[in-house]
Each structure stands twice: as structure tokens, then as C-alpha cells.
Amino acid sequence: MNRKLQAVALIVVGAVGSCARQQTLRVVAAEEGPGLIEGTVTYEDGQPTKGATVSAFPLDRALAAKVPSADTDELGHFHINHLWLGKFAVTAKKEDEGYPNTSIGFYSDRKIPPTILSLAHPSATDTILLGPKAGILVGTVADAITGAPLDPCVDFQRASDPNNFLSGTGLVSAKYRVLVPSDRDVIMKIWHQGYLPWYYPGANHKSEAKPLRLSSGQERTLHIRLQPGNDAFDAGCNTGLCFPHCRQ
């Protein structure tokens, strides 16, 4: 099998953890290689985690393909094989139990030590500790007048660090469940074309927004109702894409 790396220039829009920005990246596509990362995922009490998803994010290149990943078995074991040689950040998530994707800085301040695969050491073993749990928001989004369900755009910002945010479509839908960092003040904005923006806990102007704060594992129900209308300064943008001006 030809394992040479192929470099291609692509125009991409956005990335997880940021509002979409159009930019040119040099993206590397890699065929299967000899690398293997295996190990165990455990809860904070040391018990094995079944059904967690472990991902190996490349640190030394962009990836024009799906991030390599695997689910853990009954004993918390995982194997991610056929990897190319290089540096990876290995992380685990189990969102159905409230454990977020800690590879996204919005959820975690932890520095993830790189796992390095080389010709001399093409395999590695990692033990990954889940936790802490995120806070959990559940609820609905609808037109305040008609009650029609809406799939909006959303922007979460850490109050202490506005540059640490999660923004885009699909994060919150008409009926939603979304994880937010625990024990952190978060500014939350919801918007949709043709409606006034909504800021937690129910304001239409950013100056009236208040921080949302949930403890680890805390679940809160929040039904959001958007008022029809437009605001030339802060109406948000279309829900197709989030461009930088969405976050003013």
C-alpha cells in the first residue's frame, strides 16, 4: 500500500470551537499507517468506562478526513490502529452521561500531553480519566407568538475569556440537550434570521445578559422563546453559517 502523504490546498469554512471564518489551509490527507494507540478509559473513581468515544486528534497536521476514533468495550479498553506516524492528542467523551469532548478548549483548561508515534515506537498505551462532568441544558426553542419550533444559531462564551467560545448551528435545535462547562460563568446567545437575539436569562440586548453557571452534573431546563423582529445592530445572522460579525 502506498503510504505517502498527499498535500492538497482546500478552502474550508470554520472549525469546532470558533465562529466560521473563510480561510485557506494546507490540509494533509494520510493513508493507513503502522501506528497503534490503545489503552483504557476510567471514571473519576477508577471504574472502567464502557461506551466512551476515544479520538486521536493530529497535532502536527490538518486532517482532510474523519478524526480516527474508537469506542471502549465493557472493560473500558480501546484500540485505534492503522494510524500514521506523528503527534496526537488522545481524548475521550461520553456525552450521554455529561462528559464533554475535552479536546475543545471551551470545555477544559487541561493541557493534553501529546502521544507520539514514530518508527522506533509505532504504538503507545494511554490511560484516560473522564471528568469532571459538564453542566447540562435541556429544553426547546420556538417562536414566541406562534409556538413554531426553530433551529437557531448559538454562541456560548466564557465570561472570563470571550475568546474561548463555542458557536455555530446544530449545537442547539428546536428540542435540545447541550453541555456547558461546569463551574464557569458562560454568556449564552441564541438567534435566528427574522427574530430578535436572545441572551440568557431572556434579554434581547447583550448589555442585559447575565452569566449562566451550572455545577458539575447539574441539569437545567430552559425553554427559549424568540420574539419576531429585526435589530440592525444585533439581530445576528442567517442560521446557515456564523461569520465573525455574529459575535458582536
Side-chain angles (χ1 to χ4, degrees):
M1 178 182 296
N2 180 7
R3 293 175 179 166
K4 290 184 178 179
L5 300 180
Q6 298 175 334
V8 294
L10 298 179
I11 300 295
V12 298
V13 179
V16 175
S18 65
C19 230
R21 295 177 174 88
Q22 193 172 44
Q23 54 185 319
T24 302
L25 297 178
R26 188 168 180 80
V27 180
V28 176
E31 296 189 15
E32 292 182 353
L36 166 67
I37 298 175
E38 60 182 331
T40 304
V41 179
T42 68
Y43 292 107
E44 293 171 293
D45 62 2
Q47 294 299 311
T49 305
K50 176 185 176 182
T53 299
V54 182
S55 298
F57 293 85
L59 296 177
D60 50 5
R61 69 198 68 188
L63 181 63
K66 183 178 179 181
V67 173
S69 63
D71 292 339
T72 56
D73 62 18
E74 292 81 358
L75 298 177
H77 295 155
F78 69 91
H79 296 77
I80 306 176
N81 51 20
H82 303 304
L83 294 170
W84 57 94
L85 303 180
K87 295 181 180 181
F88 299 87
V90 184
T91 62
K93 65 179 181 179
K94 200 170 193 303
E95 295 176 330
D96 60 326
E97 294 185 5
Y99 294 98
N101 183 353
T102 53
S103 68
I104 301 174
F106 178 68
Y107 289 112
S108 176
D109 296 323
R110 293 183 301 174
K111 297 292 185 181
I112 302 171
T115 298
I116 301 174
L117 303 180
S118 65
L119 285 174
H121 301 284
S123 64
T125 301
D126 284 337
T127 299
I128 303 173
L129 178 66
L130 282 183
K133 282 188 175 182
I136 305 169
L137 274 180
V138 297
T140 58
V141 183
D143 185 300
I145 306 300
T146 67
L150 298 171
D151 292 324
C153 201
V154 64
D155 188 23
F156 291 102
Q157 296 179 29
R158 286 197 185 187
S160 61
D161 182 9
N163 291 320
N164 200 333
F165 63 91
L166 192 67
S167 184
T169 57
L171 299 171
V172 169
S173 57
K175 184 177 181 180
Y176 70 89
R177 178 183 182 274
V178 63
L179 304 182
V180 296
S182 58
D183 302 315
R184 299 281 183 179
D185 287 338
V186 175
I187 303 298
M188 179 181 180
K189 175 185 176 182
I190 297 285
W191 73 98
H192 191 288
Q193 180 71 7
Y195 292 85
L196 296 175
W198 182 99
Y199 292 91
Y200 181 83
N204 295 130
H205 300 283
K206 188 174 183 178
S207 61
E208 300 172 357
K210 297 185 181 303
L212 167 72
R213 190 180 184 96
L214 299 178
S215 58
S216 178
Q218 179 184 358
E219 183 171 313
R220 180 177 299 177
T221 300
L222 187 61
H223 297 298
I224 300 168
R225 298 297 177 258
L226 299 184
Q227 296 286 344
N230 289 288
D231 186 316
F233 176 73
D234 200 18
C237 59
N238 292 323
T239 57
L241 290 174
C242 282
F243 290 98
H245 70 269
C246 307
R247 306 186 65 251
Q248 296 184 3

